[in-house]
Amino acid sequence: MIGSDLVDRCRANDRKAQRALYKQYCEGMFCVAMRFVNRQDEAEDLVQEAFIKAFKKIEQFRGDVTFGAWLKRIVINKCLDFLKKKKERSVSIDEYEMQIAEEPEWTVELPVSVEEVKNAMQKLPEKYKYVVQLYLLEGYDHNEIAEILDLSPTASRTRLMRGKGYLRALLTKKEHETGS
């Protein structure tokens, strides 16, 4: 966790403090961006833009969440805006980054590889894909997802439920197609 002194120094436009924050969070934010855009050059650009925005808007950081959580939200919003503009329909999940939250409703009765989940997620309609990714992979709750995607928490819950249903159906269909 970063000290408030470092954030205060960033508020005073201290370049060394900004560089220290950048070094601390750059790699993690790059991984977040890659899960959305799937291209290294685009992810690097989006992370740079997110840091620039964060440093310009650092006065809005109130400390009610960690700096990393605040910055992650900026990165995700940059990625979503970028994808909306380009109308891309892919989200990458690398095997080492795959961490699905454990919850009772999220079960698939057959063995499923990370690659199969990755392919199934890419086939989800966009409005479900982002909610599923933000909830299951990024760990956001429905209030946070609602704020990020500009919808109600109820809509977030509904889209998650339907998105997981689509995933189950896609993964079950795969089992039937292979004759397993």
Side-chain angles (χ1 to χ4, degrees), residues 31 36 52 76-77 94 97 103 113 119 159:
C31 290
F36 282 88
I52 290 168
I76 288 172
N77 285 333
D94 290 333
E97 296 171 335
E103 57 179 285
S113 72
N119 290 336
R159 288 183 183 186

Side-chain angles (χ1 to χ4, degrees), residues 62-79:
R62 300 285 176 230
D64 50 342
V65 296
T66 65
F67 181 81
W70 183 74
L71 180 61
K72 184 177 181 180
R73 180 166 288 175
I74 294 171
V75 171
I76 288 172
N77 285 333
K78 283 280 181 195
C79 292

Side-chain angles (χ1 to χ4, degrees), residues 49 78 140 167 180:
E49 290 173 22
K78 283 280 181 195
Y140 283 109
L167 271 178
S180 305

Side-chain angles (χ1 to χ4, degrees), residues 100-138:
I100 296 178
E102 291 184 29
E103 57 179 285
E105 325 129 20
W106 176 244
T107 57
V108 177
E109 296 300 322
L110 52 133
V112 180
S113 72
V114 170
E115 191 63 32
E116 290 163 339
V117 173
K118 175 182 172 181
N119 290 336
M121 281 188 72
Q122 289 177 348
K123 294 175 184 175
L124 288 176
E126 193 171 288
K127 68 181 183 177
Y128 302 130
K129 181 182 350 184
Y130 296 139
V131 172
V132 169
Q133 180 174 358
L134 289 170
Y135 187 83
L136 295 177
L137 299 177
E138 303 298 337

